[in-house]
Amino acid sequence: MDQSVAIQETLEKEENCLICEVVSHSITESILLGLVESSKEHAIFIYTHRRMAITADDVSLEDIVPVSLDFAVVEISSPEELAVVGADTRVRVSYQEEALELRLPFGSHSRLFLSEVNRAWSDACKSPTHVPTFEWINKYHKANKGPGVVKQALGTTFTKLNQHRKTGLSGARSPPAQNEWQRSGEMSEPLRDSEKSDQKGSSEREIGSNSGTQKSRVCPSPESQAISRDDLVHASSHTTSNKAQILTMPQFNLRDNLIRCELLKNEDLYTYRENFSLFLGTYNVNGQTPKESLSPWLSCTLDPPDMYCVGFQELDLSKEAFFFNDTPKELEWTKAVSKGLHPDAKYALVKLVRLVGIMLIFYVKKEHAEFISEVEAETVGTGIMGRMGNKGAVAIRFHFHNSSICVVNSHLAAHIEEYERRNQDYKDICSRLQFRQLEPTQTPLTIMKHDVVLWIGDLNYRISDLDVSNVKELISKKDFETLHSYDQLKRQIDEEAVFVGFVEGEIDFQPTYKYDTGSDKWDTSEKCRVPAWCDRVLWRGKNIKQQHYQSHMALKASDHKPVSSMLEIGIKRVNSEAYKKTFEEIVRNIDKMENECIPSVTLSKQEFHFKDVKFMQHQAETLSLLNDGQVPCQFEFIQKPNEYTYCKPWLTANPPKGFIAQGGSVDIDLEVFVNRSTAPELNSGKEQIEDILVLHLERGKDYFIPLTGNYLPSCYGSSIRSLCHLRDPIQEIPQETLRDLAESSGDENAVTVEKPLDIPKELWMMVDHLFRNAIKQEDIFQQPGLRSEFAEIRDCLDTGMPDSLPGSNHSVAEALLLFLDALPQPVVPYSFYQLCLEGCSNASQCEKVISMLPRCHQNVFNYISAFLRELLKNSANNRLDVSILATIFASLLLKSPQKQDLAEKRKTQEFFQHFLTQGSS
């Protein structure tokens, strides 16, 4: 998930976060690094954060490191670390007399981050006579409590640079060398793992420099060339012909892209299949700690698997883990897995990824480790408002030899009736989970763009249309075939609602949920859950055979039973001689091309119109480009004069740049999506759905593509004051009236024709609906609703039809949270934020601040607080408490105008808690 958006929200308009990187610091905290550019000067901003950074509220700026002549970044990984596939990269960032050691997670994103830092550093070193002023960062130092905050906040050891110089660091201030590529069709391969491990002495050297590098073989020429390690961090290529290296090196030009395209097209000429075994395991541990050996589950096969992918759900059920991505149980379960692996083989841990309680661990036999490359991990939360990762997925993708594999571990929505919500979770995961590629011109990889996709987890699909007694009777008869016909997942797959193209093996084991913890007895609680196969393993791809699919009744720690599947997968391996011949033939053909030809494309449409655009409703049109020229071409949407980006913020082109082979074509999705940032000006009419895209061809001409559309105003993204002055639905109000209201929104004394409403009618409709229908609803404000139902609720509020709100209680609850989140000025206006922090510990002072708010804002605050107090009176049913409600609503009602550190976040919660306790006015 790209967290640079959160950093961007803390910056001024003329400042731009180019790229960010998450750096693990401890179990309870991690660091977020952002490379920020302003006026051609660069600095690394260091933030702390305790949960997935989605908005500025989630991060806290701790320090800033200017990228200048006094800056250096040096890799300090040991030779032993370099030899481990999947190991983190240790670097030292230094400025003047201080240094900070960081551990960057393994993957292409870290390499891309280091590459961007190198570029910024190189630019600073190119003009040593020009001394940058960095005046733009002074305001941040004033906002913080002085320099050096990182030392105290993170407990990081800073050391004098001259101490490092004594240990052999030399030339730390010299600019990084730029990568040079051979242009004769020759491409280099990275160091083999064996070559890395043979290196002696310190591996400390500058990222991006040529110092400390070795020679590696070049294909097809026998000549060798020095390789810069930041291009090859853990790339783990292992034959001169490995496509994983050849096809994903950064900074490809047109020629390289064509070679890559032709190699992919002719892959069958130089690859062959070899079978490898992969063990898949999934276990919902219900927040328990590992109390028993996992060997009966993980070592259940006679022969040791070549690879393991082990997934967990509900690793930690504590409230702290629910709202923040922190848990000590990660280490406990990782150790238990390591001890439970098959004893007849030695394994290397390649990657671990976790989102709250959803965790995926990837192990490989040590003899296969060198053939693993391009390892990436991503997460996506499908919890309420996309913030909470109690539901969602984690995924790891990698190359093994020449095959691409993606493994997904997901935990979908609970409750027997919520199968549509589970379907939506699946679709959200498929669309939102994307892996960044090394080559920027390539679009991010989605789950389905892999040779093999393996999907495991607590999918939570249940048994429908049978009561518990009938289910248990079929289980006692071991009539799993009949029982499976009532399985929701099977029915949804048969209807092609989810998992299209996936395969699941025959289920000949009893349901894995729900048991009394510590036993094999079915649920004896008051709810008496109907047994179900919640825990599943599915796959998608060719040349896959399942060796077994079973549950493991011996493990009793949880209310679920773990499930395992052993797959035999035909992996593509490279024949070196065949590859070399194919490669040389491609290069010869390219040399015959007449590169003087001017590239050209034909556009499928010359202009686009988006009709009836709505808040948070995605619309897309497809622009097809056909390369009708005589040569391949590269395209890119470019910025117009005096504009920061190539398009308006509500528009994206996917992909924004790319490569088209001769005679080939590419489809570009032009997507419109209005969110809380862009809605206010569209609602008021200050901004229109209008833009012109400039499509540029390298060495060719530019094409101008106009886009138009109409936006339907919404209460979402409209101010409280404006809505209080609207007695009719917003879409019945003339645009001029909405514009006038927006322009006078800051003037409380503006003359109005009639008395305004006490609170917006839209807010009243949602709260009233919840008060009448959801006061005892279990997990209200903690379980997401359906997106289709949110659309119906939004349309009802904006048009007045129908008279009552549609949708489930959870959908209405989430619609209320989205309404508050989209307000241009929060319920407690920004100008009162500091007063709230100063008086947060004094109840009477807090009430005094609220009494000072504009009347409509004050009414809304008191109305929401009174409703939440009513919810708390029914906490035995809805499972809410003051802490949960304060955490959710304080971040929506009291927003920081700039940034919000953890201490401020806690103060806002303390402030709001005064209004949630019994007896508060």
Side-chain angles (χ1 to χ4, degrees):
M1 182 179 292
D2 184 11
Q3 302 184 62
S4 60
V5 177
I7 294 179
Q8 190 63 53
E9 289 189 8
T10 71
L11 306 175
E12 299 294 335
K13 185 176 181 181
E14 66 276 5
E15 299 164 3
N16 186 29
C17 179
L18 303 177
I19 188 171
C20 77
E21 179 62 289
V22 180
V23 182
S24 298
H25 175 67
S26 68
I27 284 180
T28 59
E29 199 154 60
S30 59
I31 309 170
L32 195 61
L33 305 179
L35 180 62
V36 178
E37 184 269 339
S38 180
S39 303
K40 297 186 179 181
E41 296 178 351
H42 297 81
I44 295 177
F45 280 48
I46 304 176
Y47 297 81
T48 53
H49 68 126
R50 295 193 65 204
R51 66 180 175 193
M52 184 66 69
I54 298 173
T55 70
D57 297 336
D58 299 326
V59 296
S60 174
L61 180 63
E62 298 293 349
D63 215 340
I64 301 174
V65 181
V67 179
S68 66
L69 289 173
D70 293 321
F71 170 88
V73 57
V74 178
E75 182 176 347
I76 56 174
S77 298
S78 67
E80 292 76 17
E81 289 172 315
L82 297 182
V84 178
V85 179
D88 293 341
T89 301
R90 291 197 300 125
V91 298
R92 179 183 296 124
V93 176
S94 55
Y95 178 70
Q96 293 181 347
E97 295 301 309
E98 292 184 332
L100 174 66
E101 292 187 5
L102 300 171
R103 189 177 288 273
L104 274 61
F106 172 61
S108 66
H109 191 268
S110 290
R111 299 196 290 276
L112 189 60
F113 178 80
L114 291 173
S115 176
E116 291 294 332
V117 172
N118 278 325
R119 186 177 289 112
W121 184 22
S122 179
D123 290 344
C125 296
K126 283 178 182 176
S127 305
T129 55
H130 169 70
V131 180
T133 61
F134 291 103
E135 293 179 357
W136 56 282
I137 69 174
N138 290 337
K139 56 182 175 291
Y140 296 105
H141 284 308
K142 292 177 183 178
N144 275 339
K145 301 175 178 64
V149 181
V150 172
K151 296 183 203 174
Q152 301 167 4
L154 306 180
T156 306
T157 302
F158 278 79
T159 51
K160 298 291 183 182
L161 276 181
N162 56 17
Q163 293 175 337
H164 299 307
R165 295 189 183 104
K166 292 176 184 178
T167 65
L169 171 61
S170 61
R173 302 288 174 83
S174 61
Q178 296 299 301
N179 236 4
E180 294 185 2
W181 284 86
Q182 297 172 317
R183 295 304 174 193
S184 60
E186 299 172 355
M187 296 188 182
S188 59
E189 68 161 351
L191 302 178
R192 297 168 180 265
D193 280 307
S194 58
E195 292 171 328
K196 295 176 190 173
S197 59
D198 287 342
Q199 298 178 70
K200 305 297 182 185
S202 172
S203 64
E204 182 174 314
R205 59 185 177 274
E206 296 170 49
I207 300 289
S209 75
N210 289 328
S211 61
T213 55
Q214 294 193 4
K215 300 288 182 180
S216 67
R217 288 173 295 170
V218 176
C219 180
S221 168
E223 299 173 4
S224 57
Q225 146 190 7
I227 308 291
S228 174
R229 188 180 185 281
D230 79 305
D231 292 328
L232 308 174
V233 176
H234 304 295
S236 301
S237 179
H238 321 291
T239 67
T240 57
S241 51
N242 189 334
K243 171 181 70 90
Q245 171 68 12
I246 298 299
L247 304 187
T248 60
M249 282 298 249
Q251 303 176 5
F252 272 128
N253 64 4
L254 185 59
R255 177 191 184 86
D256 301 324
N257 270 321
L258 183 57
I259 293 173
R260 181 177 56 130
C261 179
E262 291 299 310
L263 283 172
L264 283 172
K265 192 185 301 181
N266 295 281
E267 190 177 48
D268 290 343
L269 297 178
Y270 58 86
T271 60
Y272 63 95
R273 298 274 178 180
E274 183 176 334
N275 290 333
F276 292 87
S277 58
L278 195 155
F279 180 101
L280 294 168
T282 177
Y283 192 9
N284 182 319
V285 297
N286 191 34
Q288 304 297 313
T289 55
K291 303 169 185 174
E292 54 195 350
S293 171
L294 302 184
S295 295
W297 170 38
L298 301 177
S299 300
C300 64
T301 58
L302 182 63
D303 298 319
D306 293 308
M307 293 173 280
Y308 276 95
C309 286
V310 184
F312 293 94
Q313 307 84 39
E314 294 191 359
L315 207 68
D316 194 331
L317 296 177
S318 67
K319 290 174 184 174
E320 183 72 5
F322 184 70
F323 291 107
F324 305 100
N325 193 18
D326 313 329
T327 177
K329 294 185 178 179
E330 174 184 309
L331 186 58
E332 296 173 1
W333 280 102
T334 303
K335 287 182 177 178
V337 170
S338 181
K339 291 178 182 177
L341 298 179
H342 205 291
D344 294 342
K346 292 184 178 180
Y347 292 90
L349 172 61
V350 178
K351 192 69 177 176
L352 181 152
V353 59
R354 182 176 59 80
L355 175 67
V356 189
I358 310 169
M359 183 167 76
L360 180 60
I361 313 175
F362 174 31
Y363 285 92
V364 66
K365 273 185 179 177
K366 286 193 174 180
E367 59 263 36
H368 298 320
E370 61 173 318
F371 302 106
I372 300 288
S373 64
E374 295 185 63
V375 182
E376 299 292 338
E378 284 296 341
T379 68
V380 59
T382 57
I384 198 161
M385 295 180 70
R387 278 180 186 262
M388 298 180 189
N390 57 312
K391 294 293 188 290
V394 298
I396 296 173
R397 62 93 51 189
F398 59 95
H399 265 77
F400 184 42
H401 291 285
N402 245 52
S403 292
S404 60
I405 300 175
C406 179
V407 186
V408 182
N409 173 30
S410 67
H411 191 189
L412 308 185
H415 305 301
I416 190 168
E417 70 279 0
E418 294 288 350
Y419 69 91
E420 287 185 352
R421 174 68 216 188
R422 289 186 273 280
N423 293 354
Q424 178 178 297
D425 285 351
Y426 165 79
K427 293 170 184 175
D428 279 352
I429 292 165
C430 289
S431 63
R432 291 170 52 200
L433 202 150
Q434 298 184 338
F435 301 95
R436 185 191 302 266
Q437 298 203 70
L438 277 175
E439 168 54 29
T441 62
Q442 298 178 39
T443 56
L445 283 173
T446 59
I447 292 171
M448 301 306 170
K449 290 183 178 179
H450 292 81
D451 297 327
V452 174
V453 180
L454 310 171
W455 199 302
I456 64 177
D458 179 359
L459 307 188
N460 251 324
Y461 286 93
R462 308 300 175 90
I463 303 293
S464 293
D465 304 326
L466 282 179
D467 62 32
V468 66
S469 61
N470 289 334
V471 170
K472 291 180 179 178
E473 181 182 356
L474 289 171
I475 294 171
S476 66
K477 295 178 180 178
K478 296 189 181 299
D479 188 358
F480 300 131
E481 183 177 355
T482 300
L483 186 60
H484 191 218
S485 66
Y486 293 91
D487 176 67
Q488 289 179 343
L489 179 57
K490 181 184 184 302
R491 291 179 172 181
Q492 294 305 302
I493 291 176
D494 289 346
E495 294 175 10
E496 297 190 345
V498 290
F499 291 103
V500 176
F502 280 82
V503 178
E504 182 180 23
E506 180 184 350
I507 298 178
D508 59 0
F509 52 89
Q510 69 183 47
T512 55
Y513 175 84
K514 178 181 183 181
Y515 296 86
D516 287 343
T517 302
S519 76
D520 292 334
K521 295 179 180 178
W522 297 115
D523 181 22
T524 58
S525 68
E526 183 181 348
K527 293 182 178 179
C528 192
R529 303 280 193 190
V530 177
W533 287 294
C534 291
D535 312 281
R536 312 291 275 266
V537 176
L538 300 96
W539 71 87
R540 185 176 190 264
K542 298 178 180 178
N543 301 291
I544 302 173
K545 294 180 180 179
Q546 185 168 256
Q547 303 299 315
H548 82 244
Y549 188 24
Q550 64 190 65
S551 64
H552 299 269
M553 300 296 291
L555 275 69
K556 307 178 191 297
S558 173
D559 56 355
H560 289 247
K561 298 297 181 183
V563 168
S564 71
S565 171
M566 177 76 92
L567 299 180
E568 186 179 84
I569 304 175
I571 296 295
K572 291 179 287 187
R573 298 198 63 172
V574 171
N575 180 304
S576 298
E577 287 301 316
Y579 173 84
K580 185 177 180 181
K581 291 179 181 177
T582 305
F583 186 96
E584 291 173 343
E585 180 66 23
I586 290 171
V587 172
R588 278 195 296 270
N589 291 336
I590 291 174
D591 289 340
K592 295 176 183 177
M593 284 189 174
E594 297 180 355
N595 288 327
E596 296 77 20
C597 294
I598 298 175
S600 68
V601 296
T602 299
L603 279 60
S604 60
K605 291 178 68 174
Q606 302 297 319
E607 58 184 37
F608 292 86
H609 181 77
F610 294 87
K611 184 179 180 182
D612 295 344
V613 177
K614 298 179 181 180
F615 177 80
M616 281 186 66
Q617 182 163 305
H618 177 268
Q619 279 200 38
E621 294 279 347
T622 299
L623 168 64
S624 296
L625 303 181
L626 172 65
N627 183 352
D628 57 0
Q630 299 301 309
V631 290
C633 69
Q634 288 193 159
F635 68 88
E636 179 179 7
F637 291 101
I638 60 174
Q639 301 171 8
K640 296 179 283 293
N642 303 318
E643 294 192 6
Y644 292 108
T645 59
Y646 69 86
C647 66
K648 297 287 181 66
W650 40 261
L651 175 66
T652 55
N654 186 23
K657 57 177 82 171
F659 164 84
I660 314 176
Q662 180 185 356
S665 63
V666 65
D667 288 340
I668 301 171
D669 290 329
L670 303 179
E671 302 172 338
V672 171
F673 187 78
V674 176
N675 58 20
R676 63 175 184 172
S677 301
T678 53
E681 292 199 340
L682 287 167
N683 282 331
S684 66
K686 295 179 182 178
E687 179 71 45
Q688 304 292 329
I689 302 292
E690 290 180 356
D691 201 0
I692 296 176
L693 293 177
V694 181
L695 178 68
H696 171 72
L697 296 187
E698 185 178 317
R699 298 187 303 106
K701 70 175 186 177
D702 293 341
Y703 299 80
F704 296 88
I705 307 168
L707 294 94
T708 58
N710 66 295
Y711 180 71
L712 300 179
S714 176
C715 61
Y716 287 86
S718 296
S719 70
I720 291 176
R721 183 182 180 278
S722 294
L723 292 174
C724 284
H725 283 81
L726 300 180
R727 294 184 174 271
D728 295 321
I730 191 169
Q731 289 184 14
E732 295 182 6
I733 306 299
Q735 190 68 64
E736 297 76 18
T737 304
L738 296 177
R739 186 181 295 109
D740 292 343
L741 280 172
E743 291 173 353
S744 64
S745 60
D747 184 5
E748 285 297 312
N749 299 315
V751 178
T752 56
V753 177
E754 55 185 335
K755 183 179 180 296
L757 301 169
D758 290 333
I759 61 173
K761 59 187 178 303
E762 296 86 356
L763 175 67
W764 174 85
M765 287 181 68
M766 288 185 282
V767 172
D768 182 66
H769 177 97
L770 294 171
F771 181 76
R772 288 185 290 104
N773 301 292
I775 205 78
K776 296 181 179 181
Q777 176 73 55
E778 184 178 348
D779 292 335
I780 194 70
F781 290 116
Q782 297 176 77
Q783 181 175 320
L786 286 169
R787 186 166 300 111
S788 58
E789 291 183 350
F790 166 74
E792 294 173 358
I793 294 166
R794 176 205 59 216
D795 291 347
C796 173
L797 297 174
D798 291 340
T799 65
M801 298 181 293
D803 293 334
S804 59
L805 290 178
S808 69
N809 292 335
H810 292 300
S811 295
V812 176
E814 186 167 23
L816 172 59
L817 297 180
L818 290 169
F819 175 85
L820 297 173
D821 189 50
L823 289 171
Q825 189 79 216
V827 176
V828 177
Y830 292 126
S831 58
F832 292 86
Y833 178 76
Q834 198 59 40
L835 286 175
C836 294
L837 297 185
E838 293 169 359
C840 67
S841 58
N842 186 304
S844 60
Q845 190 65 31
C846 294
E847 292 180 6
K848 183 178 179 181
V849 173
I850 296 304
S851 69
M852 298 163 59
L853 301 184
R855 175 57 62 182
C856 56
H857 285 254
Q858 184 182 150
N859 291 343
V860 169
F861 184 93
N862 289 331
Y863 183 63
I864 291 173
S865 300
F867 165 62
L868 297 181
R869 290 197 296 272
E870 289 300 316
L871 280 179
L872 289 171
K873 291 177 183 178
N874 293 273
S875 58
N877 300 105
N878 57 38
R879 301 202 304 180
L880 291 172
D881 60 30
V882 170
S883 176
I884 291 175
L885 288 180
T887 302
I888 296 171
F889 281 87
S891 64
L892 299 173
L893 302 179
L894 288 82
K895 290 185 178 181
S896 169
Q898 295 175 338
K899 63 181 182 65
Q900 189 182 55
D901 59 25
L902 187 59
E904 287 186 6
K905 198 170 298 183
R906 286 174 174 157
K907 285 183 178 181
T908 60
Q909 293 172 14
E910 183 181 358
F911 177 94
F912 191 53
Q913 282 183 7
H914 291 300
F915 299 90
L916 295 178
T917 53
Q918 294 294 330
S920 179
S921 62

